[in-house]
Amino acid sequence: MTGTTRARRAGVVRRRVQISLAVVLVVFLAFGARLLQIQGFDTSAYAAMASDAGTRSTVVPAERGQILDRNGVPLATSYDGITLTADPTLTAENAPRIAGILREVLGTEVDYFDLIDQLRKPDSRFVYVVKDIPAWQADQVMDGLKEAELTGVFVQHESLRSYPNGSVAANLIGRLNNDGQGVGGLEQRYDDLLSGTDGSATYSVSPTGEKIPLADSQVTDMVPGSDVTTTIDSDLQWYADDTLSQAVQAAGADWGLAVTLDVQTCEVLQMSQVPTFDADAKTGLTDAKTVSRGLQTVYEPGSVMKAITMAALADQGKISPTTPISVPSSMSIDGFTIGDAWNHGQLNLTAAGVIAKSSNLGTIIASQQMDDETMYEYLSRFGFGTKTGVGLPGESVGILTDPAGWSKANHATISFGQGVSVTAMQMVRAVGAIANGGQICEPTVVSGSRSPEGVTTPTPHDAPKQIISQEAARSVTTMMEAVTTDDGSAPAAQIPGYRVAGKTGTAWRVDPDTGRYVSGSHTVSFMGFAPADAPRFLTYVVIDNPTAAASGGGTAAPVFRDIMSMALQRFGILPTGAPAPQTPLSW
């Protein structure tokens, strides 16, 4: 190839490069000019377009705080979910086609005709299409709509609630309704703290529902909710739930509950009830299952109240464990014949024997040493007729009538737990005062909260209040230890190696419709604490309307024994090794 030829070809290449560069430069200049026109000169035109199409606002949901057990185990937590929404002004014309794609992907989760109604909803620019669906389904829906060139359906991320343990402590935790608001329990009580503050994103959309990239937009960051730490031990809670469930089923009862309290700190360690519901699966959401039995259900406690009567008398110096009481075979008061649960003649029992044998008559005779006003005043000291201070929604105050209206029969029956109505938490608080050396305190289910910034705030508590003397509390504890001996009414409550104090209860049930006692229908219970000589935990078990043969000592006491044994083991509470007192039951 000659030099002339090579020069000619090089010139051709240079011209082609120059032409290409010129073309590229023209293209960039065109894009630049268009961009300048859009941003600098035609802003009002695009604003008008945005105005014609409107703006779209979406909620940036705040992550709801967790509810944790005392060891940091989640009892309620949140996760990201996907919700599909629609703008009916964009979907009305193609509603049947859009509904068809949704139905094809989501199947029976949606109703075709309801979808059409939603997608054509008049005078609305926002409707929910379907909530809480997996990401892969949302992707399939949006891909199908895009392929069909259908617009107006949008993806919105939601903060959804999960209860990892299902029904465990469900009535204490509560649940969320469809609007994400707390219903019952801790979810309702601490809703403001848990919910945080939602954020938002507002942007302009075209007539086809597409976001206009260069239009104004506004974003407000969300603020997550705080975590709430409970006093509940989830392992003990699960065990108590299971143990109680088996007992209620075996007894053929309407319902049952069990509550365990740390008497030194007044922290509730477990709060079980049967039947219950599963907030995660959203099953069992009936009034009978979602009610908080320990706080809202009012019943007559029966013989567990005898411990309170004896505590009042002991505080006045009127009785001790060895005080002799002559117990007749029956008594007639205001025309009513009152007897004990078993037939007997004249009995010579000590005060400890009255409690150990659970004698109604012996308790009546002892209670006659104080007048109506004094008995009422002590019942009020122990917290009956008022809320416990646990701070959960829906708590009842029970029924404690004014002593001005008491008859002799009222005084008699109230002394052994009939004619007065309570909640389980009231009974736990009252007997907890005996176990705690005469000091009453407010039970708590929440130890504190932790903000998104990591700031921990403990739950404030009122200081315990001395309501009876330490001597009186020790005296009644000695009486209650006699209950769990072989000669007492609840030997089934014994825990090998530990001293156990307790009291059985068997009460007639009241028909809520008639206000009359139902013949042959009872509420049985057992209240106990251990170690009796250095009390740490108290457990109360109530089983309502058992159809099988049942009693406080035979039906509720074994449930107490199992739950208390688990609590002592789990928290490493060793026996004190001190011998139990040999208290005479008769004289």
Side-chain angles (χ1 to χ4, degrees), residues 242-490:
D242 185 64
T243 302
L244 179 66
S245 179
Q246 293 182 48
V248 170
Q249 184 176 1
D254 287 353
W255 55 264
L257 64 83
V259 180
T260 298
L261 182 78
D262 184 331
V263 298
Q264 295 180 2
T265 64
C266 232
E267 293 179 342
V268 176
L269 302 181
Q270 63 81 207
M271 191 173 173
S272 304
Q273 73 176 59
V274 176
T276 184
F277 66 96
D278 188 330
D280 210 43
K282 298 180 175 60
T283 57
L285 300 180
T286 63
D287 290 344
K289 294 181 179 181
T290 58
V291 64
S292 179
R293 293 287 181 191
L295 296 168
Q296 296 173 308
T297 299
V298 174
Y299 60 96
E300 297 195 2
S303 295
V304 175
M305 186 63 79
K306 293 172 183 174
I308 306 301
T309 300
M310 290 300 185
L313 292 166
D315 189 59
Q316 299 170 68
K318 297 180 181 297
I319 209 162
S320 74
T322 57
T323 299
I325 300 175
S326 295
V327 181
S329 58
S330 65
M331 298 177 70
S332 179
I333 302 177
D334 289 341
F336 296 97
T337 299
I338 301 175
D340 281 326
W342 75 102
N343 294 323
H344 60 76
Q346 179 78 22
L347 296 176
N348 295 321
L349 298 177
T350 63
V354 167
I355 292 297
K357 301 294 184 182
S358 198
S359 170
N360 296 337
L361 300 171
T363 305
I364 292 171
I365 292 171
S367 73
Q368 289 174 341
Q369 298 180 76
M370 54 183 171
D371 58 28
D372 294 348
E373 288 73 18
T374 301
M375 179 184 284
Y376 177 87
E377 195 270 330
Y378 270 98
L379 290 172
S380 298
R381 280 195 206 181
F382 277 97
F384 298 108
T386 60
K387 294 183 178 181
T388 64
V390 72
L392 291 173
E395 183 180 8
S396 172
V397 299
I399 302 173
L400 178 62
T401 58
D402 191 302
W406 289 7
S407 65
K408 290 182 179 180
N410 291 143
H411 182 110
T413 58
I414 289 173
S415 73
F416 62 82
Q418 300 274 186
V420 56
S421 294
V422 303
T423 66
M425 193 62 75
Q426 284 179 327
M427 288 305 305
V428 165
R429 184 188 185 205
V431 179
I434 296 173
N436 198 31
Q439 289 191 329
I440 196 167
C441 57
E442 295 180 347
T444 181
V445 293
V446 170
S447 60
S449 62
R450 182 181 176 87
S451 72
E453 295 78 26
V455 178
T456 299
T457 303
T459 301
H461 302 291
D462 289 343
K465 181 181 179 182
Q466 196 80 37
I467 57 170
I468 60 172
S469 67
Q470 291 185 6
E471 294 75 15
R474 283 195 294 267
S475 182
V476 177
T477 296
T478 298
M479 298 182 202
M480 294 174 69
E481 276 198 80
V483 172
T484 64
T485 65
D486 291 341
D487 294 329
S489 58

Side-chain angles (χ1 to χ4, degrees), residues 71-87:
N71 301 308
V73 176
L75 301 174
T77 188
S78 296
Y79 65 95
D80 288 333
I82 293 178
T83 289
L84 297 183
T85 66
D87 181 344

Side-chain angles (χ1 to χ4, degrees), residues 142-160:
M142 299 309 292
D143 289 346
L145 294 174
K146 183 177 181 180
E147 185 177 345
E149 298 182 347
L150 298 171
T151 60
V153 176
F154 306 92
V155 171
Q156 181 169 303
H157 291 272
E158 300 279 358
S159 181
L160 302 174

